[in-house]
Amino acid sequence: MLRNNVVLAVFKRNVQSYFSGVLGYLFIVVFVVAGAFAAFNQQFFANNQANLDQLSLWYPLLLLFIIPAITMGAWADEKKMGTDELLFTLPASDLEILLGKFFAVLAVYTIALLFSVTHVFVLWKIGNPDMGLMFTTYFGYWLAGASLLAAGMFASALTSSTTVAFVLGTVICAVPIFIGQVAPSSELIQSLSLVEQFQDFSTGVIPLGAVLYFISLAVMMLYLNRILITRRHWSAQQQNSMGLQYLIRTVSLAVILISANVIVSYGSSRIDMTGEKVFSVSQTTRDLLSKIDEKNPITIEAFISPEVSREYVPIRKRLIGLLREYNQLGGKRLQVRFVDVEPFSKAEEEARLLNITPQQVQTERGGRAFVDTIFMGAVVKSGTDEVVVPFFNVGTPIEYELTRSIRTVSKDERLTVGILNTDASIFGGLNMGMGGNQPPWLIVSELKKQYKVEQVSPDSPISDTAYDVLIAVLPSSLTEPQLNNLVEYVKKGKPTLICDDPLPVYGGGRGIQNAPRMPKPSPGGGMFGMQQPPSTPKADEGRLTPLLNLLQIRWDNGQVVFDYFNPHPEFAEVVRPELIFISPKSGTAGAFSQDSSITSGLQEILTFFPGSIRPLTNMTLNFEPLLKTGPNSGLLEWGQITSPFFNSVRITQEPPRVIDKYGHVLAAHITSTDKSPVKDINVIFVADADLISDELFNIRERQAFGLKIDNVTFLLNCVDQLAGDDSYIKLRKRRSKLRTLTLVERETSVFVKERNAEREKATENAEEKLKEARDRLKAERDKIIKDTTIDGNTKQQMLRMAEENESRRLEVDEANIEREKQRQIEKIKAQTERQIRTIEDRIRWYAILVPPFPAILLGICFLFFRLKNENQNISPDRRLKK
């Protein structure tokens, strides 16, 4: 039976011994400073996220330093000074001494970790971190360190040299840290990796399986410690027999611990500590599962590869965990079938037949590149309906996908969404202007998971009873009769989502051929030199005049919006201002309308070359802005943003941008009021078609470049709102809050505004110089024309020569002015970058120097009191005489 007083006595002795000298404090200071350097590096400021992801990335390597430093003297010092024999002759059991020492080194590590909590204080000063996430992250740090402390003690028990103990401790601790690198694609090896087990803690979750892993590792290493310190009881004759006996015991304990971990890993028990509880099953899902009709049970067939590449491991774990939880909550009403999809197996054939789409992922094994085929999809079906989720990607909201699919198949009938056929070719098909046969847009398959989706021809009157919502993308491409059919449909009060775009660039830029100001593409033909048949012109040259008049709004089909706001510093110099980020961080009140369920709670949307809409001054309809740009935005005319290029146009790289100081509306919900001449108008107008393009869809699915955009969420919310079904909207918007470095943003925004102002000034100066050059040419022409002493033929020759000379001069002047403008802009950019780096460096050094200060102060105080106590214990006659 353990005696707590004995354990406590050993504990106090070892803790006091560790802090009796300066070395203990020095290790803590170095640990905290190294953690600060890792946490607040340049990538931290580039990510602009108030979290400790950078520290978590480097923390396993920090443990390789701090753990051996704490444990190297646990047993080695005792052996070196010969106090180990005295220690073991005390009236205490080996287990009591072992636990006393373990709790002592754990206390030292805990104290070091508590001093590093100043990192959270720094985060809180410069941003708005999720305190639940901070707790789980530090709890993970503590568990990981605690498990390795036992391994470090084991290394110390092997030698009497602290230096050797430090090296051995580093080597032993490196095994669980780096074992995942041995076989990145092996699920078994990854489950033994400390780094892999720690990942969930850094996302705000406490997984019980990972907690058991760390406890098991500590127990195993403590047991090995106990074996080493009990060897002194073995006689020479017992060495072989006792060694074999303890080897069997050790293997048996390892099997028990591994079995327990495997069993627990099959469960989904976890504690969600995030502020938004994004890793917990929502009440919406629980209510839905409880209402499933037992007479119409639902089956989920999950086709999942047994081994996936590293970046998909968390997705696989999350998917399997959620499915098990659904299975448990659903009872007899919902059954989940897991299918391991091995390459070239019958399971793979079955998955492909059910339209489960594999993902080709490039991985590296043994220094060689491989392409793995990963299956991670599901089929949700009932007796009456079926929904296929082809693949759960990195950015796929798993709970939303599963819950939506369950609700869809449990209902008797789906609502119908009609998609109007326009030159955007949403349904794909043969499109000569786009380069042959095109597949459907990805948004079509997304809508099919919830609605019946049908093509709608604009060539005849549109049925006002067949569709619950009509979607029209690029209606500016319609002919006059087609546009009239759409206007009549909207006039009847039918819910309609309209997405038009002054400069569409979907399809890798090929969408520009469908811009409203571009001529309508030929309907086909023209092969092998044959003459192409003429195309029917667009209605009112693509201006949408009758539709805009009905909706009482203005939209210029050639005006493109730009915005200098960019919440991602890492993309500041590579993303042009016409690629607009909509975010509450932009400084515009109502960037996302908080009064609309469509946009309240959204965090970020990305648009490409959008347009701007605004209400008429005498508008009688209700105009509710949904998306607005920031204050550092403005408008570019068609001739400024494009230039002729063969039979098409190309986008100008540096158009003359002038900020107009107010936010532009990119999307609005327009409805009738009591004063409206047309009743029941219900239209959402979005001045950008690229917002739902495949390019942005893929960015959302794969979270490419680290972007977590809400484009698809916004579009689906619009459709749901128009259809009168808002049951998914709250669930769809459920994700972690965007927590940024507000102090850095606030201080650097001043310089960004100054840069924009200086850039505008440089553009205006260039325009003035160009105007002077053009005026000089005009003055020369006027002078010749007004000269009455010159006959007509001579005057024409002089005019032609003057125009040629001035044109050459004008070309040279334009080139010089443009060169000077670019030089000035680059100078402004470099100056602004230096100012921003200065701010970041100041905050970084603050973040690095503040955390170790408490440890240094405590060490100085301890040293002062120690010296004072030593002087008091020395008799006066032995003190140095002055």
Side-chain angles (χ1 to χ4, degrees):
M1 182 176 180
L2 286 176
R3 291 167 293 176
N4 294 335
N5 60 322
V6 176
V7 174
L8 182 61
V10 177
F11 167 81
K12 288 181 178 180
R13 173 181 175 272
N14 281 267
V15 171
Q16 290 173 356
S17 174
Y18 189 85
F19 288 106
S20 62
V22 179
L23 192 61
Y25 294 97
L26 181 61
F27 276 130
I28 292 176
V29 170
V30 173
F31 170 69
V32 175
V33 171
F37 269 103
F40 304 106
N41 56 24
Q42 291 299 330
Q43 189 61 42
F44 168 79
F45 291 100
N47 293 342
N48 193 31
Q49 298 291 310
N51 56 40
L52 293 175
D53 282 356
Q54 293 302 306
L55 177 58
S56 298
L57 183 66
W58 291 97
Y59 198 79
L61 298 181
L62 284 179
L63 289 177
L64 288 180
F65 158 74
I66 189 65
I67 296 301
I70 293 173
T71 60
M72 63 183 182
W75 298 113
D77 277 345
E78 301 280 5
K79 291 182 180 182
K80 182 178 180 180
M81 294 184 294
T83 56
D84 57 330
E85 294 297 333
L86 177 63
L87 181 66
F88 287 122
T89 57
L90 295 175
S93 68
D94 293 345
L95 181 59
E96 289 169 344
I97 295 173
L98 174 62
L99 292 179
K101 281 186 169 291
F102 176 71
F103 290 141
V105 294
L106 181 59
V108 173
Y109 173 70
T110 304
I111 291 170
L113 198 60
L114 287 175
F115 277 119
S116 73
V117 173
T118 46
H119 300 328
V120 180
F121 172 76
V122 172
L123 273 183
W124 179 72
K125 291 292 290 183
I126 65 177
N128 55 340
D130 183 345
M131 299 312 293
L133 172 61
M134 294 298 102
F135 173 80
T136 61
T137 301
Y138 265 84
F139 184 58
Y141 293 161
W142 185 80
L143 278 176
S147 64
L148 292 182
L149 285 170
M153 287 180 61
F154 175 69
S156 181
L158 293 172
T159 179
S160 59
S161 169
T162 53
T163 304
V164 175
F166 183 92
V167 175
L168 285 175
T170 302
V171 172
I172 294 173
C173 291
V175 174
I177 290 176
F178 292 112
I179 193 172
Q181 303 294 328
V182 176
S185 60
S186 172
E187 186 174 357
L188 175 61
I189 298 298
Q190 291 301 312
S191 67
L192 299 176
S193 169
L194 180 144
V195 176
E196 189 69 27
Q197 295 290 345
F198 173 74
Q199 280 187 351
D200 283 340
F201 292 94
S202 62
T203 62
V205 172
I206 301 177
L208 298 188
V211 173
L212 180 60
Y213 165 84
F214 289 121
I215 293 175
S216 300
L217 180 58
V219 169
M220 190 68 208
M221 299 311 298
L222 285 174
Y223 185 71
L224 293 176
N225 271 264
R226 189 170 184 272
I227 293 175
L228 287 180
I229 64 176
T230 56
R231 286 180 60 191
R232 74 185 194 282
H233 299 304
W234 304 350
S235 64
Q237 295 78 13
Q238 292 178 318
Q239 289 293 327
N240 293 333
S241 60
M242 292 299 291
L244 179 60
Q245 182 183 139
Y246 273 96
L247 176 62
I248 295 173
R249 290 182 182 181
T250 302
V251 172
S252 300
L253 177 61
V255 170
I256 292 171
L257 292 175
I258 291 174
S259 301
N261 277 269
V262 170
I263 293 171
V264 172
S265 68
Y266 279 103
S268 59
S269 299
R270 54 177 55 205
I271 302 173
D272 185 0
M273 300 292 290
T274 57
E276 292 76 31
K277 303 296 180 186
V278 291
F279 296 103
S280 304
V281 175
S282 66
Q283 191 60 43
T284 302
T285 298
R286 294 177 182 272
D287 292 342
L288 173 62
L289 295 178
S290 65
K291 294 176 182 177
I292 297 175
D293 188 356
E294 291 187 3
K295 296 179 180 179
N296 187 26
I298 293 172
T299 302
I300 301 178
E301 294 181 329
F303 294 85
I304 304 173
S305 296
E307 294 185 359
V308 298
S309 57
R310 193 179 192 91
E311 60 268 32
Y312 285 97
V313 169
I315 314 301
R316 184 179 183 277
K317 288 174 61 177
R318 170 71 172 151
L319 175 60
I320 292 175
L322 267 178
L323 286 171
R324 287 185 178 135
E325 195 164 354
Y326 275 56
N327 191 41
Q328 181 181 358
L329 293 172
K332 296 180 180 180
R333 299 179 295 272
L334 186 144
Q335 299 294 320
V336 178
R337 174 190 170 220
F338 291 95
V339 182
D340 286 339
V341 185
E342 297 282 359
F344 311 110
S345 63
K346 289 185 177 180
E348 180 176 342
E349 293 180 10
E350 182 184 0
R352 291 183 184 274
L353 287 173
L354 292 170
N355 295 322
I356 301 295
T357 306
Q359 189 82 10
Q360 302 290 328
V361 180
Q362 183 172 336
T363 60
E364 184 178 335
R365 295 192 295 272
R368 297 183 179 181
F370 293 87
V371 176
D372 290 337
T373 301
I374 297 175
F375 285 85
M376 206 145 55
V379 179
V380 183
K381 57 186 177 181
S382 66
T384 57
D385 205 347
E386 178 180 288
V387 171
V388 177
V389 183
F391 191 82
F392 290 91
N393 220 316
V394 176
T396 304
I398 300 176
E399 183 189 358
Y400 161 69
E401 287 286 353
L402 292 174
T403 301
R404 175 178 65 171
S405 301
I406 291 170
R407 186 172 183 270
T408 299
V409 301
S410 63
K411 294 172 65 176
D412 293 335
E413 190 174 348
R414 300 195 201 186
L415 298 177
T416 302
V417 171
I419 298 181
L420 196 68
N421 288 330
T422 66
D423 289 352
S425 301
I426 302 297
F427 275 93
L430 184 63
N431 189 323
M432 300 306 296
M434 294 290 286
N437 199 35
Q438 301 297 316
W441 287 27
L442 294 175
I443 196 65
V444 175
S445 59
E446 186 70 20
L447 288 168
K448 284 183 177 179
K449 296 175 185 177
Q450 183 177 343
Y451 297 99
K452 290 180 181 177
V453 181
E454 298 179 1
Q455 297 187 61
V456 181
S457 173
D459 295 321
S460 58
I462 303 171
S463 170
D464 56 0
T465 58
Y467 314 108
D468 296 284
V469 178
L470 180 69
I471 300 177
V473 181
L474 287 184
S476 58
S477 64
L478 298 176
T479 62
E480 186 173 349
Q482 293 173 337
L483 182 59
N484 289 336
N485 288 331
L486 174 61
V487 171
E488 288 301 317
Y489 179 84
V490 173
K491 194 179 294 184
K492 293 176 183 177
K494 309 308 295 181
T496 308
L497 172 62
I498 296 171
C499 299
D500 218 316
D501 196 326
L503 191 61
V505 293
Y506 55 81
R510 292 175 296 178
I512 198 171
Q513 301 298 325
N514 294 324
R517 293 206 178 183
M518 295 293 291
K520 194 171 178 65
S522 172
M527 300 294 288
F528 305 108
M530 293 189 299
Q531 185 177 1
Q532 295 186 1
S535 59
T536 308
K538 299 176 182 179
D540 196 19
E541 298 180 339
R543 292 190 182 92
L544 285 183
T545 304
L547 181 61
L548 299 180
N549 289 339
L550 174 64
L551 300 178
Q552 300 178 9
I553 58 174
R554 291 189 184 279
W555 170 74
D556 190 318
N557 68 353
Q559 277 187 338
V560 172
V561 181
F562 71 88
D563 190 351
Y564 283 114
F565 169 71
N566 187 339
H568 303 280
E570 66 271 35
F571 306 135
E573 300 305 324
V574 296
V575 175
R576 57 184 297 157
E578 288 77 35
L579 275 58
I580 296 177
F581 290 94
I582 307 297
S583 168
K585 295 283 184 180
S586 66
T588 294
F592 291 122
S593 173
Q594 298 305 307
D595 297 326
S596 172
S597 60
I598 297 172
T599 50
S600 63
L602 296 185
Q603 299 188 38
E604 188 170 283
I605 283 179
L606 177 59
T607 66
F608 291 170
F609 301 92
S612 172
I613 56 176
R614 56 189 184 275
L616 298 178
T617 53
N618 57 346
M619 187 175 191
T620 59
L621 297 172
N622 181 53
F623 182 88
E624 182 181 17
L626 298 177
L627 306 178
K628 292 176 70 175
T629 66
N632 294 316
S633 59
L635 296 172
L636 293 168
E637 299 298 331
W638 177 258
Q640 295 174 316
I641 191 62
T642 64
S643 59
F645 185 70
F646 292 102
N647 294 326
S648 182
V649 295
R650 60 182 174 187
I651 299 172
T652 306
Q653 290 302 313
E654 285 294 336
R657 304 181 182 100
V658 179
I659 297 174
D660 51 25
K661 306 298 183 185
Y662 61 88
H664 293 270
V665 178
L666 306 187
H669 192 183
I670 303 165
T671 53
S672 295
T673 65
D674 295 337
K675 299 179 181 179
S676 306
V678 180
K679 303 301 180 183
D680 301 324
I681 293 290
N682 188 12
V683 172
I684 295 176
F685 193 104
V686 182
D688 185 42
D690 299 309
L691 184 142
I692 57 171
S693 65
D694 287 0
E695 287 83 355
L696 289 171
F697 191 99
N698 283 322
I699 289 176
R700 176 256 197 182
E701 281 293 290
R702 300 176 183 177
Q703 292 187 358
F705 315 111
L707 296 176
K708 299 179 181 179
I709 56 177
D710 295 320
N711 290 44
V712 177
T713 299
F714 169 73
L715 176 92
L716 295 177
N717 287 351
C718 288
V719 176
D720 285 1
Q721 180 72 20
L722 291 170
D725 181 8
D726 60 356
S727 53
Y728 295 119
I729 292 180
K730 180 183 269 189
L731 183 61
R732 195 180 286 129
K733 292 185 288 188
R734 193 169 180 251
R735 72 177 179 90
S736 299
K737 182 180 178 181
L738 187 63
R739 302 174 186 273
T740 57
L741 307 178
T742 52
L743 177 64
V744 179
E745 290 175 337
R746 187 166 59 249
E747 293 198 14
T748 56
S749 64
V750 177
F751 299 113
V752 173
K753 288 179 181 178
E754 290 178 359
R755 178 181 65 183
N756 295 338
E758 290 294 327
R759 184 180 289 173
E760 280 190 41
K761 186 177 178 181
T763 301
E764 290 173 359
N765 290 339
E767 287 294 319
E768 288 179 6
K769 291 178 181 178
L770 284 173
K771 185 176 181 301
E772 290 175 3
R774 295 188 185 104
D775 289 343
R776 188 169 61 248
L777 174 60
K778 185 176 181 299
E780 187 69 20
R781 286 173 50 87
D782 292 343
K783 181 180 177 182
I784 296 172
I785 292 172
K786 293 178 180 178
D787 192 343
T788 57
T789 62
I790 307 174
D791 63 82
N793 291 333
T794 306
K795 186 178 292 187
Q796 290 297 324
Q797 291 178 2
M798 293 178 66
L799 280 173
R800 186 166 57 253
M801 292 177 61
E803 286 178 356
E804 290 176 357
N805 292 334
E806 288 299 327
S807 294
R808 283 194 292 270
R809 288 178 59 188
L810 183 59
E811 288 177 3
V812 173
D813 288 345
E814 285 179 345
N816 291 334
I817 291 169
E818 182 64 24
R819 193 181 305 112
E820 177 63 23
K821 184 183 99 172
Q822 292 302 324
R823 191 188 67 80
Q824 192 68 21
I825 288 176
E826 289 298 323
K827 181 180 176 181
I828 295 166
K829 184 190 299 182
Q831 181 181 353
T832 306
E833 285 300 313
R834 285 195 298 270
Q835 292 169 330
I836 292 175
R837 293 292 171 267
T838 300
I839 292 174
E840 291 180 354
D841 289 341
R842 174 174 58 80
I843 295 175
R844 184 166 181 254
W845 281 111
Y846 163 81
I848 290 171
L849 295 177
V850 167
F853 183 75
I856 295 173
L857 183 63
L858 183 63
I860 292 173
C861 292
F862 178 82
L863 183 62
F864 172 77
F865 285 116
R866 181 185 174 188
L867 292 174
K868 183 178 179 182
N869 291 334
E870 287 178 352
N871 288 332
Q872 288 178 348
N873 294 330
I874 298 173
S875 58
D877 59 334
R878 295 185 60 189
R879 294 179 183 175
L880 183 65
K881 308 297 183 182
K882 294 184 179 180

